[in-house]
Amino acid sequence: MAVSALARRLGVAPSTLRTWDRRYGIGPSAHAHGSHRRYTPRDVARLECMQQALDEGASPAEAARYAINAIATYSSNSEQTSSPQILGDNSVNEGKTNSSHFSAAISVLEDAEPAVRNLSRALIARDIVTIHRIVSRAAAERGLPAVWEAVLVPVLDWANEGRNSDAAAVNCRAFVECMTGILSTMTLDAPIAVGGRVLLVDVPTTLDFRRPSIAHDLGFRALGAALATASVDVRTSRPVGRTALLASVTNAEPDVIMLWLPPGDCDVASLSRAIRRRRSGLALLAAGPGAAATHLPRSVKSVGNLGDAVDAVTALI
């Protein structure tokens, strides 16, 4: 990948990438005779890792050091799949996991489709380059909503098995980190939006403002990315309460609002009335883990999976 293309992907200036290369040694590694140096998939993954660390408040030097160490460890693990290692919070090996444990874990997926098995193996190896490649290729061929239901949800369920174990916790954390980066990249690389504006709202439960689950969180991100890749002008909001939620409605001025409902007690009827007082004439849809179980007023249409949600939105705008 050329420096200009990567700069657009990361949202930085090409001069910034050259500065990172000069100061921290985190630059392109491929070079063809008579042409400029180019970024390999491994280089891109390393810079995406650095960008994520910067977004979380690290200094450029700290972010570069973290990215270099993380990708080096991931690559080392991907070459040693017979004895994979678990990464700690600082991307330092904290110990080895018995290979028979992982063999047993993979055997559970014997009947799954190849993409599920391959993605699970890449997750065990912490091979983020392969994870990016598998997900991106599948999404390009089948569409993100279909890949979410057929590939990503089964892998997430598998990674979350035995959630009290250290191995499951590491698998889940690695999967969430990888998928968050992939979905963010898909959103940023989406085509120019057309039509009306959609506000995707992660609705907090009435009694507890904590986010309910990893699946809920990633599903919200996946729907946002799926709408963006369908050329929808989508804005997202993750308010901690009703006042912040209504403020986001006023600020975004949407034509359609998609409420992403968690399992639990959500007073959607009262919320929909408050939203319509803020902005009349808009369409209200509901999706997410709690959409089927929550009693919805007639003015709010429930949609099923991610594909149904995207179809419902595009039909309205």
Side-chain angles (χ1 to χ4, degrees):
M1 180 180 290
V3 62
S4 57
L6 181 57
R8 287 193 299 271
R9 176 169 177 162
L10 296 178
V12 300
S15 59
T16 299
L17 294 180
R18 296 188 182 98
T19 299
W20 290 351
D21 183 15
R22 186 174 63 254
R23 291 183 180 177
Y24 312 118
I26 188 164
S29 57
H31 184 273
H33 181 69
S35 65
H36 296 291
R37 295 167 66 195
R38 301 182 70 83
Y39 290 85
T40 65
R42 185 172 182 271
D43 298 331
V44 173
R46 185 168 55 184
L47 282 162
E48 287 178 338
C49 190
M50 178 175 178
Q51 185 75 7
Q52 182 180 1
L54 288 171
D55 291 342
E56 293 176 358
S59 69
E62 292 170 336
R65 186 164 54 250
Y66 166 78
I68 291 170
N69 291 337
I71 300 304
T73 306
Y74 287 142
S75 298
S76 174
N77 283 343
S78 68
E79 295 170 359
Q80 301 175 24
T81 54
S82 61
S83 181
Q85 296 174 317
I86 294 176
L87 301 182
D89 289 338
N90 296 317
S91 297
V92 177
N93 294 328
E94 293 178 337
K96 295 185 178 180
T97 303
N98 191 310
S99 60
S100 63
H101 167 79
F102 286 117
S103 298
I106 286 294
S107 67
V108 176
L109 300 172
E110 283 182 353
D111 296 331
E113 66 170 273
V116 173
R117 296 197 302 271
N118 293 337
L119 188 57
S120 301
R121 291 190 181 97
L123 179 59
I124 287 174
R126 306 295 181 264
D127 186 351
I128 61 174
V129 174
T130 298
I131 292 173
H132 273 255
R133 183 165 58 247
I134 292 172
V135 175
S136 299
R137 181 178 300 169
E141 293 174 352
R142 301 159 60 178
L144 181 56
V147 172
W148 170 257
E149 302 292 343
V151 179
L152 301 182
V153 169
V155 172
L156 179 59
D157 290 342
W158 164 80
N160 204 33
E161 285 182 358
R163 61 176 59 86
N164 294 326
S165 70
D166 291 340
V170 173
N171 282 338
C172 283
R173 185 170 68 244
F175 187 71
V176 169
E177 289 175 354
C178 287
M179 286 310 307
T180 298
I182 292 170
L183 294 172
S184 296
T185 299
M186 288 182 176
T187 302
L188 292 172
D189 290 345
I192 297 175
V194 295
R197 178 173 298 169
V198 177
L199 178 63
L200 174 59
V201 181
D202 188 3
V203 179
T205 60
T206 302
L207 301 178
D208 188 351
F209 289 162
R210 293 176 298 175
R211 303 300 170 194
S213 69
I214 293 173
H216 174 92
D217 177 73
L218 281 183
F220 176 81
R221 295 176 185 273
L223 179 54
L227 289 169
T229 55
S231 300
V232 174
D233 181 6
V234 59
R235 310 295 171 88
T236 59
S237 174
R238 312 196 78 169
V240 295
R242 177 169 295 197
T243 300
L245 191 158
L246 295 176
S248 69
V249 173
T250 301
N251 294 333
E253 299 183 341
D255 301 292
V256 178
I257 293 181
M258 175 72 75
L259 302 174
W260 186 256
L261 301 179
D265 184 14
C266 293
D267 187 357
V268 179
S270 173
L271 179 60
S272 65
R273 289 193 296 270
I275 289 173
R276 292 187 185 281
R277 284 195 293 269
R278 286 294 181 101
R279 184 169 175 81
S280 60
L282 51 72
L284 280 173
L285 305 174
T294 303
H295 178 69
L296 300 177
R298 295 177 62 183
S299 60
V300 180
K301 179 183 177 182
S302 176
V303 295
N305 55 34
L306 257 64
D308 294 335
V310 173
D311 290 343
V313 167
T314 54
L316 288 170
I317 61 173

